[in-house]
């Protein structure tokens, strides 16, 4: 089948909950993908950071292959030889005691919310049914009914009510609003250290530090959703490190699965994750042998610091070049490391379409923001070539 026929099949038989670029990918390696007609494209999206280490990184493919030949799924009814090492190694990477593994990011966020409530009632002593969790305007934490209950994006919310109560939402970056929202019944503050889907919004300097202080003072858990910002994307293992902040709870996903399969996790100390007893939460696939084997390799790769370093140095280069784009075309550039939200003066969709025609895959978020997040293995030469294409497209539109 050709591109048109395959696109028609997708259009006809898949729900239209995405608006993909008109490309049909057949294979990929490193920072590059190929369509079914053999045209090559530089991937400047990395599956929203799930492909931080590039497509089919040899170490990750090898780890998966080794595990495929041994055992892939046992459920948590039985222990397996990848599980203990995985939770120990991930806990160590995050500097915490314990891990609760899940699959998708949304499930890990749900797990973190349940953790905060359970901790609130059983450890903090919040009266039954009174717990509240504070979230931020512009947040994106996933697509479940509870998570969209505190979304401020009408597309994400409309027609999905009735919503889950117990959430308060304050402006991102507003310290005083946060302070006013936290009370004795606040069990957690859920924050993206950089808001990804909102357009790579970096909070004002000092904000994460203030969130930490307010959580400590109010006896609430600081829950950092590092699903997109974490695991090397911003030049550090976790984006909270830019302010030397240590949250109580990390929520991880996307790159944790090495671009091979969904792996997510909640990571926290024993006084927090210790609240769970058998039967009180779970997942059939969470922590399966294949997932653990791949994630262990991800953790080992992150331990070298090599990917964080690439993101830092190439990211500085990326931001220098984006910062030099003409101000009549680009209103603002946000981000850290190999992650940028380019705020255009016009619509971003035609820009991503023209970039695709030139062999660069990037995707708009909202109307006017172009999001750039190449795999951390991208070469400077390829990155520069992609930026040349962006310059050319901006001059055209
Ligand atoms: C992608 C994302 C999620 C949801 O992850 P899924 O695997 O799509 O469920 C949650 N939080 C953040 C910050 C994300 O970027």
């Amino acid at each position: 089948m050709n591109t048109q026929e395959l696109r028609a099949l997708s259009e006809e038989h898949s729900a239209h909950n995405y608006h993909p670029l008109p490309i049909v990918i057949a294979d990929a390696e490193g920072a590059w993908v190929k369509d079914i007609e053999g045209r090559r494209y530089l991937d400047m999206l990395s599956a929203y950071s799930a492909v931080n280490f590039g497509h089919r990184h040899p170490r990750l493919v090898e780890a998966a292959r080794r595990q495929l030949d041994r055992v892939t799924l046992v459920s948590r009814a039985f222990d397996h030889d990848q599980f203990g090492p995985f939770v120990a190694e991930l806990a160590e990477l995050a500097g915490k005691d314990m891990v609760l593994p899940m699959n998708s990011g949304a499930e890990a966020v749900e797990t973190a919310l349940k953790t905060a409530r359970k901790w609130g009632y059983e450890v903090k002593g919040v009266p039954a049914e009174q717990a509240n969790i504070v979230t931020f305007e512009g947040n994106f934490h996933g697509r479940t009914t509870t998570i969209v209950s505190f979304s401020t994006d009408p597309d994400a919310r409309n027609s999905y009510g009735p919503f889950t109560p117990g959430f308060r939402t304050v402006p991102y970056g507003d310290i005083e609003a946060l302070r006013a929202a936290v009370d004795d019944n606040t069990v957690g503050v859920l924050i993206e250290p950089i808001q990804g889907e909102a357009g790579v919004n970096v909070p004002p300097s000092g904000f994460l530090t203030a969130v930490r202080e307010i959580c400590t003072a109010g006896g609430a858990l600081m829950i950092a959703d590092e699903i997109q910002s974490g695991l090397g994307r911003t030049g550090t293992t976790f984006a909270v490190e830019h302010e030397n902040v240590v949250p109580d709870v990390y929520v991880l996903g996307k790159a944790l699965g090495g671009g091979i399969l969904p792996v997510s996790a909640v990571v926290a100390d024993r006084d927090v994750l210790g609240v769970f007893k058998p039967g009180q939460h779970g997942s059939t696939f969470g922590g399966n042998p294949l997932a653990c084997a791949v994630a262990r390799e991800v953790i080992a790769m992150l331990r070298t610091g090599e990917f964080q370093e690439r993101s830092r140095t190439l990211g500085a280069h990326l931001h220098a070049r984006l910062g030099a784009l003409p101000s009549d075309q680009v209103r603002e550039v946000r981000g850290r490391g190999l992650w940028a939200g380019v705020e255009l003066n016009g619509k971003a969709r035609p820009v991503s379409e023209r970039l695709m025609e030139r062999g660069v895959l990037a995707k708009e978020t909202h109307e006017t923001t172009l999001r750039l997040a190449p795999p951390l293995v991208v070469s400077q030469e390829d990155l520069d070539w992609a930026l040349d294409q962006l310059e050319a497209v901006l001059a055209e539109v």
Side-chain angles (χ1 to χ4, degrees):
M1 275 190 274
N2 65 27
T3 300
Q4 243 178 348
E5 289 162 342
L6 287 165
R7 291 286 305 127
L9 272 186
S10 307
E11 275 291 299
E12 179 70 16
H13 298 291
S14 93
H16 292 179
N17 57 328
Y18 279 86
H19 181 28
L21 289 168
I23 176 182
V24 180
I25 293 169
D27 52 77
E29 184 173 3
W32 291 85
V33 305
K34 229 189 259 171
D35 71 14
I36 56 162
E37 284 153 45
R39 278 186 298 258
R40 292 174 83 229
Y41 304 81
L42 188 68
D43 184 353
M44 291 288 283
L45 179 65
S46 307
Y48 310 102
S49 284
V51 187
N52 274 3
F53 308 100
H55 294 274
R56 301 192 303 115
H57 191 288
R59 280 184 69 171
L60 297 170
V61 169
E62 179 51 31
R65 205 167 267 149
R66 262 195 324 264
Q67 194 59 38
L68 279 175
D69 287 335
R70 296 181 60 235
V71 56
T72 53
L73 185 62
V74 298
S75 88
R76 293 286 308 282
F78 314 113
D79 206 346
H80 60 81
D81 65 4
Q82 297 300 307
F83 188 76
F86 163 63
V87 290
E89 288 157 13
L90 185 57
E92 199 215 348
L93 185 79
K96 299 287 185 191
D97 298 332
M98 293 178 125
V99 170
L100 202 171
M102 300 295 285
N103 311 283
S104 70
E107 285 176 296
V109 171
E110 287 274 354
T111 301
L113 299 173
K114 287 170 81 174
T115 303
R117 284 182 171 182
K118 200 163 166 53
W119 172 87
Y121 296 124
E122 297 177 5
V123 178
K124 184 175 174 177
V126 171
E129 302 293 307
Q130 298 301 307
N132 70 71
I133 292 173
V134 183
T135 65
F136 294 94
E137 287 173 12
N139 70 73
F140 182 86
H141 298 287
R143 301 293 196 171
T144 65
T145 324
T146 288
I147 293 172
V148 302
S149 294
F150 52 82
S151 171
T152 56
D153 176 356
D155 278 340
R157 271 175 70 86
N158 287 353
S159 302
Y160 296 134
F163 296 113
T164 307
F167 297 97
R168 299 171 174 181
T169 303
V170 300
Y172 192 61
D174 188 336
I175 296 172
E176 288 322 309
L178 176 63
R179 206 188 302 280
V182 170
D183 63 20
D184 290 346
N185 293 339
T186 303
V187 296
V189 174
L190 175 63
I191 184 169
E192 293 162 87
I194 292 178
Q195 289 186 327
E197 299 304 302
V200 196
N201 286 344
V202 181
S205 169
F207 184 61
L208 298 177
T209 308
V211 173
R212 176 65 277 177
E213 284 166 8
I214 291 167
C215 284
T216 303
L221 299 176
M222 178 176 176
I223 306 165
D225 180 347
E226 293 258 16
I227 290 171
Q228 193 166 162
S229 59
L231 309 185
R233 174 52 60 190
T234 68
T236 49
T237 304
F238 303 108
V240 287
E241 289 172 56
H242 293 286
E243 287 197 22
N244 294 314
V245 161
V246 179
D248 299 294
V249 179
Y250 289 97
V251 189
L252 304 175
K254 292 200 167 109
L256 190 57
I260 295 178
L261 75 177
V263 185
S264 67
V266 170
V267 188
D269 276 334
R270 198 171 314 281
D271 58 336
V272 176
L273 274 179
V275 296
F276 288 106
K277 308 255 164 5
Q280 295 177 344
H281 187 58
S283 160
T284 303
F285 291 94
N288 70 73
L290 185 58
C292 290
V294 171
R296 287 184 68 194
E297 201 64 30
V298 166
I299 296 162
M301 287 163 67
L302 284 168
R303 277 213 213 94
T304 67
E306 173 195 338
F307 296 92
Q308 295 90 324
E309 172 66 24
R310 289 189 71 80
S311 180
R312 259 195 312 277
T313 52
L314 288 173
H317 182 66
L318 169 73
H319 283 278
R321 282 203 59 183
L322 292 174
L325 290 171
S327 59
D328 59 323
Q329 295 158 357
V330 171
R331 219 168 338 135
E332 187 186 38
V333 179
R334 301 178 293 263
R336 272 191 208 282
L338 276 175
W339 200 18
V342 182
E343 198 62 42
L344 305 174
N345 274 324
K347 283 203 188 326
R349 179 76 186 189
V351 173
S352 43
E353 283 168 358
R354 279 167 187 252
L355 280 172
M356 190 196 88
E357 285 159 19
R358 289 170 170 269
V360 176
L361 293 184
K363 190 72 167 55
E364 71 281 0
T365 176
H366 305 289
E367 285 277 285
T368 57
T369 311
L370 190 69
R371 173 171 33 188
L372 300 177
L376 310 182
V377 297
V378 72
S379 69
Q380 176 158 347
E381 197 186 353
D382 289 346
L383 183 63
D384 272 321
W385 174 80
L387 291 166
D388 292 345
Q389 306 314 307
L390 176 60
E391 276 177 13
V393 166
L394 288 175
E396 281 167 24
V397 293

